[in-house]
Amino acid sequence: MMRGKLFRGVAVAVVSAGVLSGCSEWQGLNSLPLPGVEGTGPGAFIIEAQMPDVDNIEPNSRVRVGDVNVGHVRKIVRQGWHALVTMELNGDVELPANATATLGQTSLLGSLHIELAPPTDETPEGTLKDGSLIPLSSSGKYPSTEQALASVALLLNGGGIGEIQDITEALSTAFTGREDDLRSLIEQLDIAIGHLDDQKQDIIAASESLNNLIGQFAEQKPVVDRALQTIPDALSVLRDQRSNLAEALAQLGKFSALAADSVNQTKEALVQELKDLSVVLQELANAGPALTRALSFLPTFPFPKETLTNWMRGDYANLTLILDLTLSRIDSGFFTGSRWECDLTWLELQWGRTIGQFPNPCNAGGPGTAGNPLIAPYRWDQGP
């Protein structure tokens, strides 16, 4: 009997030692896997997520994707200054590798859960699989009921809701007796808004044009920057040369006054000179054809280019020469345009050599108007 009591004591001591040795990991029933939770079926896989704050979430808490339970929390440990949550998901869960994990509240007074979702601020990449880790930058937390109530309390107590009554009373006092004006204002606003709505396309087009203009300015930013850097230097130079510029403007004013006075004094003479010049230019224009023909004759004198093919025949040339040494021909050929023009012609007239010849070379308008001596036709009755 004594031996039986000793055996029972040893057994109790062993059980007590086993229980005490496991007390450091025992946290109630949540420390044990519970039946019926998601993430325990065939193909289930395990992922981890770094969470900034897990509040009162416990192992076996639900993991959701789009309000559907797809797994459960398996373990929560501390990792530095954040929590590392191990989750077990069903095998049919399909999420990108850069999915997000957010701690949320299932209902107003319900338990907490972790919500997994594709990213909203970047393109989904890869596939979430066994051993994947959701980093701290992709995790977060929804506001809790306590935070929402605290914000509402702050709005009601320290916000502007209490001032609504005072504002309403002030508006009522301001508009008392001005109902017609207020009604007219509202009608005019309605008309103005209607006009703005009619011009909606024009406003959009103007905004797009302004956007294009701003884009062009943005493309020319280096040029504008360089101009803004150069303009101060240019202004500095102008400032240093201010006295010289002022003196130059003063001298320019004096010069303008002298030029105006000179023009006023020489106006009549200048007009007369221009009139006389017009006669010279008119005569030059009249002599244009003869001048151009003379230019073709002078380089080939005494054989004009126009008749060169008539007298040059291979290795010999034919030449017909009419030599006119009458005083009138010598006069028109050598003294036309000089101070002795027509003197020999009048002398020949006195000798009677050209009496009865019409027209007289010197009677076609006075000296100098007999024509071009190089192209004037020869008359057989002018003498040998």
Side-chain angles (χ1 to χ4, degrees):
M1 186 173 186
M2 196 68 181
R3 185 176 297 177
K5 291 182 179 179
L6 180 61
F7 177 77
R8 286 195 300 269
V10 172
V12 172
V14 171
V15 173
S16 301
V19 173
L20 291 176
S21 63
C23 284
S24 59
E25 297 183 0
W26 176 257
Q27 297 180 358
L29 294 178
N30 281 330
S31 299
L32 302 175
L34 299 180
V37 295
E38 298 291 337
T40 58
F45 60 95
I46 297 175
I47 65 170
E48 294 179 337
Q50 296 175 343
M51 306 290 293
D53 188 4
V54 291
D55 285 342
N56 297 323
I57 196 169
E58 297 287 343
N60 291 319
S61 296
R62 287 169 289 186
V63 178
R64 289 187 163 191
V65 175
D67 293 334
V68 176
N69 297 333
V70 296
H72 68 279
V73 176
R74 185 172 184 181
K75 182 174 61 174
I76 302 174
V77 297
R78 183 176 64 84
Q79 187 181 60
W81 294 98
H82 57 269
L84 180 63
V85 181
T86 302
M87 293 169 282
E88 193 169 2
L89 307 180
N90 292 335
D92 57 353
V93 174
E94 296 181 359
L95 287 172
N98 56 346
T100 61
T102 308
L103 179 64
Q105 193 164 352
T106 306
S107 62
L108 184 61
L109 299 177
S111 61
L112 300 175
H113 68 276
I114 294 179
E115 179 179 337
L116 301 179
T120 58
D121 55 350
E122 60 183 3
T123 304
E125 297 178 354
T127 303
L128 195 66
K129 57 185 178 179
D130 186 55
S132 297
L133 173 65
I134 299 177
L136 188 64
S137 59
S138 299
S139 61
K141 175 184 176 183
Y142 289 118
S144 63
T145 303
E146 293 83 356
Q147 293 174 340
L149 293 177
S151 300
V152 172
L154 178 62
L155 176 63
L156 295 177
N157 296 330
I161 295 181
E163 306 295 334
I164 293 179
Q165 183 178 0
D166 297 336
I167 296 174
T168 304
E169 292 178 355
L171 290 175
S172 177
T173 303
F175 291 130
T176 299
R178 299 183 178 87
E179 293 81 1
D180 295 337
D181 296 338
L182 180 60
R183 186 179 298 107
S184 176
L185 175 62
I186 295 175
E187 293 176 354
Q188 294 178 10
L189 288 176
D190 182 64
I191 295 174
I193 293 173
H195 290 326
L196 288 176
D197 183 69
D198 295 337
Q199 301 295 325
K200 178 172 59 178
Q201 298 299 329
D202 296 336
I203 295 174
I204 294 174
S207 300
E208 292 178 351
S209 300
L210 180 61
N211 185 33
N212 294 333
L213 178 62
I214 293 175
Q216 295 177 3
F217 277 127
E219 293 177 356
Q220 298 297 325
K221 182 180 178 182
V223 179
V224 176
D225 292 341
R226 187 165 55 252
L228 292 177
Q229 294 174 0
T230 306
I231 287 175
D233 297 336
L235 293 177
S236 177
V237 173
L238 291 177
R239 182 192 60 192
D240 297 338
Q241 299 296 326
R242 181 174 56 184
S243 58
N244 296 333
L245 292 175
E247 181 65 22
L249 291 176
Q251 296 298 329
L252 180 61
K254 294 179 181 179
F255 174 76
S256 300
L258 292 174
D261 184 60
S262 300
V263 171
N264 292 332
Q265 293 180 8
T266 61
K267 179 173 62 177
E268 296 180 359
L270 181 62
V271 172
Q272 186 61 38
E273 290 178 359
L274 292 176
K275 291 181 179 178
D276 297 339
L277 182 62
S278 65
V279 177
V280 177
L281 295 177
Q282 182 64 39
E283 294 299 329
L284 182 61
N286 294 336
L291 181 61
T292 55
R293 293 188 62 184
L295 291 177
S296 67
F297 172 76
L298 290 176
T300 59
F301 181 82
F303 308 111
K305 179 176 65 65
E306 288 80 0
T307 61
L308 184 63
T309 56
N310 295 332
W311 69 272
M312 178 64 69
R313 297 287 187 238
D315 55 352
Y316 66 93
N318 297 326
L319 178 63
T320 301
L321 177 63
I322 299 176
L323 185 62
D324 186 0
L325 297 177
T326 59
L327 296 180
S328 58
R329 177 61 66 178
I330 294 173
D331 188 359
S332 62
F334 294 97
F335 298 110
T336 299
S338 66
R339 56 180 298 184
W340 299 288
E341 182 180 3
C342 286
D343 289 346
L344 295 179
T345 302
W346 289 112
L347 181 60
E348 188 178 54
L349 287 173
Q350 293 177 6
W351 290 351
R353 295 291 300 275
T354 57
I355 295 177
Q357 176 183 342
F358 297 99
N360 191 330
C362 292
N363 291 337
T369 60
N372 191 340
L374 299 178
I375 62 174
Y378 175 79
R379 297 179 180 275
W380 294 99
D381 57 356
Q382 290 178 335

